[in-house]
Every structure is written in C-alpha cells, then in structure tokens.
C-alpha cells in the first residue's frame, strides 16, 4: 500500500500504478452591475444589513421580477471572450429548495437553456506548458442572502446562540461558469481560475474580489488509472474562498482519495467542505440530484431570444482580452511565460509595451527596458510606467539608439532616468548634448593610448596574463571618454594596442 504525489504535480502513484486526477470546477462570480438582477435595488458590498432590499428581492407575494439587461449582456460577453456559442433561445428556471436566507424558497437560475454553451479557457502553467480547459456552460442566476451565525467565536453555526440574516446580497446577479473535467492537478485548477479572473476583470463584468466573496468555487474531484476513459467516483468540495485554499483543498482531496484506494476502500460520492484550520476536507452531506430541485420555467419571466445584431454589437465591445494577448506575447514575441504575465497583470504595462513595439519593431529589446529599467523606476518613484513622462515614442527612440550603437547602455540608462521625470525626446537630447557613442576606431584609440600611458602597472599585469585587469582598463577608457566610447570597441583596441606596444 503506497501513495506518492509530488505537490502540485499531476503524476500520482497508487500501489505502484499510475493514476491521474480528474477535476471539474464550478465557479460563481458576482457581477459588477449598478442594480440587482431582477429589481432596482443597489448592488454594493458592505452596506448596513437589509438596507438594499425591496418587495422583489425579499420575495413578497405578487412582486414581479424584471431582468437586468446589462447582467445578461455581461454573461454573453464572458461567453464570447472564451469562444462559446450563444444559443438563440434561453429562459430562466426556478430551482426549488429551502434555505433561510432565500426568501422565495426558490432561486431564479437557468437549467437546460444557459446563455452560453462551450468555449475554451486557455492558459499557461508556471513551467511554460499551455493548457486548454473546455467550458460546459456559463449561466446566470441570482445570489442568495447571507446568514450570520452570531454568538460563536468562529462565525459558524456550531456554538452560535442565534442566527441573523442579511438580504442585501439576495438577488445580486451571479454568473456560474461550469468547466468540463479537464483539469488534472491543484496547480492547474488555480491557473484556470486566475485565467477566468483576468478575463472577467478585463471585460469589466466583475471585480472578482475573493475576500468580498465575489468569486466562490466548488470542485468535483476524482482519480482514475492514467489513460482510462471511465471516470472514478467523484466528491464535491465546497467552501473554498481563496486561490490558496483551492490549491490546498484539491491537493488534499486527491491524496485522501489515493490513500483510500490504496487501502482497498471505495470512494463515496458526497459533498465535502474544506476546513482551513484542520487542513482537510470533511463530509457535509450526500449530493442532491438535479431532480431534487424540481426545476421548471419561471412563469414570471418571458424567454429571451438574442438578435444577431445584438450579439455582433457585444462582440465588437470586447476589449483587448488577456487570453489572445498572452498568446501573442508568448507565441509570437517569444516573451517568457513569467514575463508575459508580468506585462498583463500590471495595469497599463502590456498596452505600453505593445505601443512601443509597434514603433520600435524590436520586441526583445523593448521588453528588456520595460521589465528592467522602467519597472525599477516605477517601483522607486511609485509611478506607473504608463503615467511617467517617458512616452512609448521616447522609449522606441531609446531602443533604436541603442540597437544602432548610437548610444551605449550606460547613456541609455541616464537618458531614461531624465526623460522619466522631465519628458522630451531622447534622440534630441543625444544630438544636442553630444552624448552619441564614439564608435570611430581612431577616436577610441586616442582614449586607449591615454589609459595605457596612465596605467602602466595594470597594463604590465595584463601583459603577464592577469586577464581580469582588462575590465578595469575598459572602465578607465569609459571614464576618459565620459561614458561615450563603445565598450566593445574599447576592449578590442585595448587588446590590440597593448599587444602591439613595447613592454
Ligand atoms: Zn430589491
């Protein structure tokens, strides 16, 4: 009996046989709309309890829901961003169950006609592997209220003396994204969620603040012999409220199942909650089946049919999305996975980089400046690169001046620091102040001869085989030339003139 699994790795050994994890994720994302899904109440986090409520979201008899057009459009945009199909016909259904923080005793959701079907979420793992996870669907529903179990020390039901309910969240538009079971490890699960988050933030449909509960997710986890097509028995993990807990809960559940199988036990289909403190998943209840919810079309809401021109308009409104952008950076510009994410995840930096490359036509040199000197200055001065006085046009000039050898890297750094705060054209500064690199061998020879004459002892040491002295001598040439000599040429001429001169 043995189980081995490297942390975050998809390779899993159970009693010597190779196993793989099969993971599907359902995640709920609160939409960032002005008002709730079916009424005019404000959709804001952190208000006084029960102040953003009305007869509709409190489920008063006879109150009728009116769908929020912008929430529906947000779902369609999210689907389009991942290449999903937008079926022409959709409707809302009632999902019936009792919960103290759900006043109607049903939740308006979508059962068999979600707003979007299919689509692919594409992303890179930190090791550089590209992964593609298929989406099953994205549908729209309303959030429930929130129970607060008071009098307990940890906010949970056990040990509380009484429970309170806040309906501010009841009726907030909630997007549910369901993936196919294509995810193979805890690390992949987190990378998948980060890819979703990045896209939703770029689309402006949600601010995805996990600490405010605007992204919550459940994972279905099973394991099977590698290469098998049948699925093993799955468990559903609930209650994961940070990327860190997603990674640890899934990793923990994979190990638990592998250990159970290695002991010859069977996996029981059940819902398990993640206990952050005990660092383990614990049984909550056996899983309901869809038929337990008695879904039926909501008779208060008419079905929705999209016009082709509305879909076309929403497609046109898609901003530059992170997914195709990462692909362009990694596959076309050959930017590393880590650097590409640095560009995308720093607000405005990818725009700045792309605008500069459009002018400089030199991706690698531009990237080196953006992630090197410019990011350093941004940290030092607490100014975003895009808000500095150094425009993409100015940086493109620097890239051009250095790649032609017109200025050396030291001069480039000095000019960047000046233009960063003062603005202006690097090309004009070089011209006006005569900062151009000296690449004329005759002129460089002049500086070299001066240094050879002044540093007789070092020259002698070099001649006797002390190679490291050369660095010092090049430094002296740079100093004599006031930083303008071409360092490569300086080295060449130093070697030649020392070799050619008499000891
Ligand atoms: Zn309301």
């Amino acid at each position: 009996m043995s189980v081995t699994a490297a942390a975050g790795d998809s390779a899993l050994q159970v009693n010597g046989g190779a196993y793989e994890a099969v993971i599907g994720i359902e995640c709920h994302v609160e939409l960032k709309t002005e008002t709730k899904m079916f009424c005019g109440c404000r959709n804001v986090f952190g208000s006084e309890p029960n102040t953003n409520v009305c007869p509709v979201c409190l489920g008063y008899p006879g109150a009728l829901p009116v769908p929020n057009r912008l929430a529906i459009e947000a779902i369609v945009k999210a689907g389009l961003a991942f290449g999903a199909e937008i079926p022409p016909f959709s409707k809302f259904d009632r999902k019936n169950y009792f919960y103290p923080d759900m006043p109607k005793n049903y939740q308006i959701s979508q059962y068999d006609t979600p707003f979007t079907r299919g689509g692919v979420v594409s992303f890179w793992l930190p090791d550089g592997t590209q992964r593609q996870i298929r989406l099953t669907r994205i549908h729209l529903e309303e959030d429930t209220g929130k129970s607060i179990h008071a009098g307990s020390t940890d906010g949970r039901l056990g040990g509380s003396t009484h429970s309170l309910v806040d309906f501010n969240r009841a009726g907030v538009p909630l997007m549910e994204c369901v993936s196919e079971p294509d995810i193979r490890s805890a690390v992949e699960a987190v990378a998948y969620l980060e890819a979703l988050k990045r896209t939703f933030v770029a689309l402006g449909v949600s601010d995805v603040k996990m600490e405010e509960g605007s992204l919550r997710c459940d994972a279905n986890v099973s394991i099977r012999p590698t290469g098998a097509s049948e699925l093993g028995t799955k468990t559903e993990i609930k209650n994961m409220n940070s990327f860190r807990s997603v990674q640890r809960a899934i990793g923990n559940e994979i190990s638990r199942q592998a250990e159970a199988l290695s002991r010859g036990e069977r996996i029981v289909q059940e819902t398990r909650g993640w206990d952050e403190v005990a660092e383990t998943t614990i049984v909550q209840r056996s899983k309901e089946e869809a038929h337990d919810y008695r879904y039926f079309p909501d008779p208060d809401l008419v079905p929705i049919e999209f016009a082709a021109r509305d879909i076309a308009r929403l497609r046109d409104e898609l901003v530059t999305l992170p997914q195709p952008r990462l692909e362009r950076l990694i596959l076309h510009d050959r930017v590393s996975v880590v650097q590409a994410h640095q560009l995308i995840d720093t607000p405005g930096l990818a725009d700045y980089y792309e605008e500069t490359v459009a002018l400089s036509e030199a991706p690698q040199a531009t990237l080196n400046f953006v992630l090197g000197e410019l990011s350093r200055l941004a940290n030092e001065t607490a100014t975003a690169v895009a808000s500095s006085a150094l425009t993409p046009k100015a940086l493109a000039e620097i890239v051009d001046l250095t790649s032609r050898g017109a200025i050396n890297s030291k001069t480039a750094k000095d000019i960047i620091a000046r233009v960063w705060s003062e603005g202006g054209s690097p090309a004009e500064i070089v011209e006006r102040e005569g900062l151009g690199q000296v690449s004329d061998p005759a002129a460089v020879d002049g500086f070299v001869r001066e240094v050879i004459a002044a540093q007789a002892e070092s020259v002698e040491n070099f001649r006797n085989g002390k190679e490291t002295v050369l660095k010092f001598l090049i430094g002296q040439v740079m100093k004599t030339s006031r930083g303008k000599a071409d360092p490569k040429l300086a080295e060449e001429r130093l070697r030649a003139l020392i070799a050619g001169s008499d000891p």
Side-chain angles (χ1 to χ4, degrees), residues 223-472:
I223 61 173
R224 67 180 176 193
T226 303
S229 52
E230 260 172 68
L231 294 169
T233 306
K234 68 182 177 187
T235 56
E236 186 179 19
I237 319 174
K238 289 197 173 282
N239 211 16
M240 297 179 289
N241 49 17
S242 69
F243 287 165
R244 188 166 158 270
S245 62
V246 167
Q247 181 160 347
R248 299 198 319 161
I250 292 176
N252 183 284
E253 179 60 15
I254 292 170
S255 305
R256 190 193 66 85
Q257 291 188 13
E259 276 157 24
L261 287 187
S262 76
R263 288 192 298 266
E265 293 169 15
R266 281 179 47 204
I267 307 296
V268 182
Q269 181 164 342
E270 62 199 358
T271 299
R272 303 179 69 90
W274 172 242
D275 186 327
E276 189 74 57
V277 182
E279 290 194 24
T280 183
T281 60
I282 41 173
V283 182
Q284 288 191 324
R285 58 189 150 90
S286 59
K287 175 78 181 139
E288 304 87 349
E289 299 291 332
H291 64 247
D292 293 329
Y293 290 120
R294 308 293 196 273
Y295 281 100
F296 65 86
D298 193 308
D300 290 340
L301 290 158
V302 292
I304 288 164
E305 283 184 57
F306 293 111
R309 65 168 187 282
D310 283 331
I311 303 293
R313 173 178 58 81
L314 293 172
R315 204 185 290 278
D316 286 344
E317 280 175 25
L318 295 187
V319 292
T320 317
L321 291 169
Q323 191 168 307
R325 219 165 189 196
L326 281 168
E327 268 178 44
R328 200 159 59 235
L329 288 169
I330 295 168
L331 302 179
H332 180 265
D333 286 4
R334 298 279 163 208
V335 174
S336 78
V337 169
V338 173
Q339 291 180 324
H341 285 95
Q342 257 176 286
L343 286 180
I344 294 284
D345 292 341
T346 312
L349 204 57
D351 288 335
Y352 186 94
Y353 163 82
E354 284 182 347
E355 279 172 45
T356 310
V357 171
L359 299 166
S360 73
E361 293 173 9
Q364 193 58 50
T366 303
L367 182 74
N368 291 344
F369 279 118
V370 169
L371 293 182
E373 201 55 19
L374 268 54
S375 295
R376 194 185 64 74
L377 282 167
N379 282 338
E380 243 180 54
T381 58
T383 310
V385 169
S387 339
S388 77
L390 183 78
T391 60
K393 185 173 173 294
L395 181 60
E397 284 180 20
I398 296 269
V399 171
D400 176 59
L401 289 165
T402 45
S403 64
R404 288 196 280 114
I407 56 172
N408 59 33
S409 60
K410 179 170 183 314
T411 309
K413 272 188 185 176
D414 293 345
I415 296 179
I416 285 174
R418 271 175 65 181
V419 178
W420 177 272
S421 50
E422 296 164 15
S425 155
E428 280 169 23
I429 293 175
V430 169
E431 179 72 32
R432 192 171 60 232
E433 303 185 12
L435 298 175
Q437 176 165 268
V438 177
S439 304
D440 169 18
V444 172
D445 278 3
F447 300 129
V448 169
R449 285 206 180 86
E450 229 177 281
V451 170
I452 290 176
Q455 305 289 342
E457 199 185 321
S458 299
V459 170
E460 187 55 29
N461 288 341
F462 177 70
R463 201 177 266 126
N464 292 334
K466 205 170 170 199
E467 185 71 18
T468 49
V469 178
L470 192 68
K471 243 200 162 129
F472 165 75

Side-chain angles (χ1 to χ4, degrees), residues 36 38-42 52-58 170:
K36 291 188 183 180
F38 297 110
C39 62
C41 290
R42 291 204 318 141
N52 302 322
V53 290
C54 75
V56 174
C57 55
L58 288 176

Side-chain angles (χ1 to χ4, degrees), residues 1 10 19 22 51 86 128 138 141 162 171 241 283 292 359 384 400 406 408 413 415 468 479:
M1 273 188 270
S10 51
Y19 272 68
V22 177
T51 51
I86 311 299
I138 305 178
E141 58 189 28
H162 55 286
N241 49 17
V283 182
D292 293 329
L359 299 166
D400 176 59
N408 59 33
K413 272 188 185 176
I415 296 179
T468 49
K479 202 173 156 192

Side-chain angles (χ1 to χ4, degrees), residues 167-189:
F167 289 110
N168 283 348
R169 200 179 68 180
V172 162
L174 198 60
M175 157 165 73
E176 180 168 339
C177 287
V178 183
S179 86
E180 291 290 304
D182 291 348
I183 299 166
R184 293 287 170 270
S185 71
V187 167
E188 261 183 52

